[in-house]
Amino acid sequence: MQGSPATATTPPRARTGFRPARWVRVRLRAAPWTALLNGVLVFVVVLLCAGLPRGVDRGEDAALHDFLRDRGIGATSLVSRSDLRHDDDSATLASVAAHLTARTGGEFRVSASGPVFGVRGISSKILGNPQLSRPDGPSPRLELRHLAGLAEHATLVEGRWPSATPGRPLAIVIAEQAAEKLNIRVGDVLTEEHLPGGRPSPDTEVVGTFRVNDDHDPYWTDLYCLRRPCLEIPETFEWLRLWKAVGLTGGDDLPRLMEWAKGGELSWRLPIDPDSLRADRLPEAAHELASYLSGPTGAELAAATGRSDLRTFSTLPDLFALATARRDAAAPLAALGPAGLAGVVTVVLCLAAALAADRRGPELLLLQARGGSRRGLLRRLLGEGAAVVLPGAALGTLLALLLLPTPRWGPALSAAVAATLCALLAFPARALVLLTPRRAVRRGGARRLVGELGLLLLTAAAVVEVRRRGAAPPGAGIDPLLIAAPLLIALCTGLLLARIQPPLIGALARAVGRRRGAVGFLGLAGAARGAGGRPRPAVLPTLALLLAVTTAGFGADVIGAVDSGRTREARLATGGDVMVSAPKGFGLAGSFAERAGRLPGVRAATEVTLLTDAAVLRPDRPHLTISLVVVEPTAYAEISRSLGRGAFDPALLAAPDGPTGPDAREVPVPALYSRGLVEQLGGRAGAERIYLTSTGELRAQYAGTIDATPALRDSTHPFVVLPAGPATARVPGLADHGHWFAVGDIDATAVRSLTRDLPVHPIVADTARRTGVPVVGPDPDDIPDGYLVKTSAALTAELTEDPLRQAAVLVFRVGTAGAGAFALIAALLTLVRAAPDRSAALARLRTMGLRPRQGLALILVETLPQTLLAAAGGLLASLAAVVLLGPALDLSALLGTDVPPGLPLRPGAVLPPALALTALVTVGVLAQALIAGRRQVAKELRAGDTV
């Protein structure tokens, strides 16, 4: 029966109500777990890519803030000064302070504690009141100042705060401790000591005493003498002790302060808040600060305040330059780990795309054969990927921004966008290659060879350029060539392994095939052939592990070099592992060296007499100023050998003790001359007369030349090393040893305990008696004033606690750990990609009598060689990177001291991270083989059991 015309002409879609299913929804429902795993992978990748730049920023900012705080408020403040005028008062001070503060707040701002300002009198006066205490003989001195806001930071103990009182002497207040020490009471009128011919100054009246509320208040920084009396000991007259007190006047008495002190100086101290500074904005902050100190801003401030003599000083520009140099030195180390991570992540995303293409390749080819266009398929694949990638990327970026807050967003967002695009485009790009007709695909060994040679030439050019010009200079930021060179070396090593791996493993398979058993031969043959019908093993998993091992090994060598370099520099700065020095002109007690030498761990120790003002007397020529080092030759030679600084043969200084008496000084003493001294002597070193300040002179006989010596950090100044026995026999005054050096694993606490029992210098003891402060405090680490105990361990710990280094090392290690984890993922993806073919082969072998345990062994033999070869290649690549790039590195800024450029090769530092990453990937491969291998074989054998 024929249908009606209307029915026959009705389109099928309108007739049945059919609507095509949406592609994205169908694909996600078809493989929900695969989509979920892809989303998790993208989330982790983007989280790391966005989080590491923000972690670097946070570390650099925290290191900058700690660096500036450690320098103290005085070093991180702006100090402005101007001469005191007759019409100045407290309102003038406050007005200028407001102008100065208002011009901050851009790249830097004033600390919350606020500015501190006041007036300092130019001259101080000697007080002549007979009732004043004179602990050390001379009359005390009085200095006058005005300090704004005093009542807010101090408590009035007695009397009142100063204010102008017509017809009365100038009113002042004094710190309570100064009043007690100098016997000053409230109501005393302090008069100047009469000087013949001098013009007396107005009297001052003490109207009150005050006590500081908090000694640690930033308000009192650099104002020690305002809080308590000061004891001044001139360097030229050590026997003279001068006590000084500071009186504070009111803001309405500035003209009278100016008359009393013969002039005055206004000062404003603006403490800069370190937290307002950003490491990435330091150049802009330095430019703004320069304008404030001596540029347009400074000129505008001088005009606005009406004080043409206003001048501002600060040490912040020098601190900014030093902080920038330190940041630039640590930047390559911090960037190396993330760079390796980026390379491994790219490999993993490409492997995931290849796995998806293998799984869905027949489906895409079928759709294309049924009329689907490549453009349409790629558009749908992009939409499918966006539904999975974009939510994971957005969540990862948001979490990185929330967990690691920092004002700098650009690098994190750029890294997140790059990772998102890579994850989104990897599978469509692989599908494009799959859907392209075979005749349009570029193939051929010649093209591959040209690409590999191009990469090799690029790597060689990068290495040559880095070695030629060295690392980027300070201030240039991260050197991209220095970061890319180790990765290029790893890529070249990976391509080389891809070339030699098949024939190498094939030869090993043939050798194993001659022995009994088929497991080893079959596994190695499969490893040499590749999986899934590919003509050769996959290169991407090898590259992933290579990149991870190379960056980890190279970075570990840098960290090891920095650590060992700091330890060495600390030992050189100490002159050994422990150094004890006595006050100038006061030797160590005779029994100290004997008791300290018996401490556990001491390998070598000696007393040293160090004179820096000796001179070589030359007839008809100017005298040469030298340093004289008097030592016990055998122990000092061992210390020099242990430090690797100025090693010598102690037999060169061997000599009989020599005669005593008036003619003893005419008998030469064997001596080691520094190279600089030999050059100044014209290369004709021989017997020289050495003049010793306050002890006479002796004759030294040249016995050898040395470049440096542990007791002197500066080896450029000429010096002479003498044996203690013969030298002290001729000049008994040299027996007063002032230093003790030792090497070994020595307990610093035990050394300090011995130092606490040493006799106290008379000046220190007298000062302690007069001030009432004990010479040695209750703390076990306290030692008598004037003595110094220095240990290389403490100095090394101080250098190691650098926040900038710690932040760089943390970011590097996080990047390295992430690279290792993704290298493991790459290996597992490779196993998953080869699982179908391997399962089919194992199932067929099971039907031929292969036991389950042999099947697992076959999987391991097939998968482990590639992992082990990649690890070995990564180790060799990291060693090659150290050898090729090491001479271009300068670790001086990271070490905090000048050292010769170059990175030493340290296999002991490279091996641990390489072995750790290899073990991680190997364990992952073993676990996957043991867990999934048995299931895959059983599933393959049961195929067709159910219909």
Side-chain angles (χ1 to χ4, degrees), residues 328-487:
D328 292 340
L333 178 60
L336 189 59
L341 175 62
V344 178
V345 163
T346 304
V347 171
V348 169
L349 293 177
C350 292
L351 271 175
L355 179 61
D358 290 346
R359 180 171 53 85
R360 299 181 56 184
E363 169 199 341
L364 296 177
L365 292 175
L366 179 60
L367 290 174
Q368 187 183 33
R370 289 187 173 183
S373 65
R374 281 186 298 171
R375 179 179 299 177
L377 290 176
L378 292 177
R379 186 171 62 251
R380 284 171 171 78
L381 291 178
L382 281 174
E384 176 186 341
V388 176
V389 170
L390 295 184
L395 184 59
T397 304
L398 180 62
L399 192 61
L401 296 179
L402 293 178
L403 293 180
L404 299 170
T406 178
R408 191 180 179 193
W409 291 50
L413 292 180
S414 299
V417 170
T420 303
L421 289 177
C422 185
L424 183 62
L425 299 178
F427 179 49
R430 184 70 180 85
L432 177 63
V433 176
L434 183 66
L435 296 175
T436 302
R438 291 291 180 180
R439 62 180 179 273
V441 178
R442 297 183 176 181
R443 297 184 301 171
R447 296 183 183 276
R448 178 189 174 195
L449 181 61
V450 169
E452 292 175 354
L453 289 177
L455 179 62
L456 181 62
L457 291 177
L458 178 62
T459 304
V463 171
V464 170
E465 179 64 15
V466 170
R467 290 180 63 106
R468 184 187 65 82
R469 65 167 173 80
I478 298 177
D479 187 353
L481 197 59
L482 184 62
I483 302 301
L487 303 183

Side-chain angles (χ1 to χ4, degrees), residues 741-778:
F741 293 87
V743 292
D745 188 11
I746 309 170
D747 185 8
T749 303
V751 177
R752 290 180 178 276
S753 178
L754 293 178
T755 310
R756 289 171 63 92
D757 300 331
L758 288 173
V760 182
H761 195 282
I763 295 179
V764 175
D766 186 51
T767 302
R769 178 179 58 82
R770 296 180 181 276
T771 58
V773 179
V775 175
V776 181

Side-chain angles (χ1 to χ4, degrees), residues 308-332:
S308 59
D309 61 341
L310 184 68
R311 51 202 182 274
T312 305
F313 312 91
S314 180
T315 59
L316 278 174
D318 296 333
L319 295 181
F320 285 176
L322 182 57
T324 301
R326 295 172 69 251
R327 174 175 176 258
D328 292 340

Side-chain angles (χ1 to χ4, degrees), residues 459 463 485-494 496-497 542-543 545-555 869-885 905 910 914:
T459 304
V463 171
L487 303 183
L488 291 174
I489 292 175
L491 288 176
C492 288
T493 306
L496 179 62
L497 279 180
T542 303
L543 284 180
L545 188 56
L546 267 168
L547 289 171
V549 174
T550 302
T551 53
F554 184 73
L869 279 176
L875 179 61
L876 293 177
S878 59
L879 295 176
V882 173
V883 173
L884 296 175
L885 304 176
L905 179 62
V910 178

Side-chain angles (χ1 to χ4, degrees), residues 24 118 208:
V24 174

Side-chain angles (χ1 to χ4, degrees), residues 588-603:
L588 295 170
S591 61
F592 174 83
E594 181 181 354
R595 291 184 296 161
R598 293 197 300 264
L599 290 175
V602 176
R603 292 202 313 269

